[in-house]
Amino acid sequence: MALMFSNDKNIETIGQLVDALKHYVGLQNEYLRLDVIEKVVRLITTLVMVAVTLLIIIIIFIYLSFAAAYAMAPSLGYPVAFLIVAAFYVLVFLLFLAFRKNWVEKPLVRFLASMLME
């Protein structure tokens, strides 16, 4: 009789353990889902902030380019002034192409890795 009571108690304990394990796995699953959602939201927020900042910088550069071209125009003429501004942007573009790994790819990889590894 005592042996039978012991087995029933063990079965009940194992059942409770299985229930606790199921609950733990469910909580871990929920935590993982929330962690992924947080990282996606942070990534989207960062991308939007970078996009807005870049848009503002582009607008600033457009106005500065026109100002520089119009400032050079009286002494050089409009076509030469605008060509100088265009040549400056071609030079910036070529530098960007040459150093894109150091200026863009490596910092972006570091940022994404640090964000995803938290």
Side-chain angles (χ1 to χ4, degrees):
M1 184 85 173
L3 184 62
M4 188 173 189
F5 179 74
S6 175
N7 285 338
D8 288 344
K9 180 103 171 140
N10 287 343
I11 290 172
E12 183 181 325
T13 303
I14 290 172
Q16 290 173 347
L17 183 61
V18 168
D19 288 342
L21 188 60
K22 285 181 184 177
H23 183 68
Y24 174 76
V25 169
L27 288 176
Q28 285 297 103
N29 188 22
E30 183 71 15
Y31 172 74
L32 181 63
R33 193 170 66 82
L34 290 174
D35 190 45
V36 168
I37 289 171
E38 178 203 4
K39 288 178 181 178
V40 168
V41 168
R42 285 179 50 204
L43 181 63
I44 291 171
T45 303
T46 302
L47 289 174
V48 168
M49 291 301 296
V50 167
V52 169
T53 303
L54 286 176
L55 181 65
I56 292 170
I57 289 172
I58 288 170
I59 292 170
I60 290 169
F61 274 120
I62 288 171
Y63 279 104
L64 288 175
S65 299
F66 277 109
Y70 281 112
M72 290 184 283
S75 60
L76 300 173
Y78 284 103
V80 175
F82 279 99
L83 280 174
I84 290 172
V85 171
F88 170 76
Y89 282 114
V90 168
L91 178 66
V92 169
F93 177 71
L94 292 174
L95 287 171
F96 178 78
L97 283 179
F99 296 106
R100 71 181 175 269
K101 280 196 186 246
N102 291 332
W103 291 352
V104 177
E105 290 177 19
K106 286 181 183 178
L108 187 60
V109 167
R110 265 188 257 124
F111 167 73
L112 290 174
S114 70
M115 189 183 79
L116 295 175
M117 297 305 282
E118 286 180 0

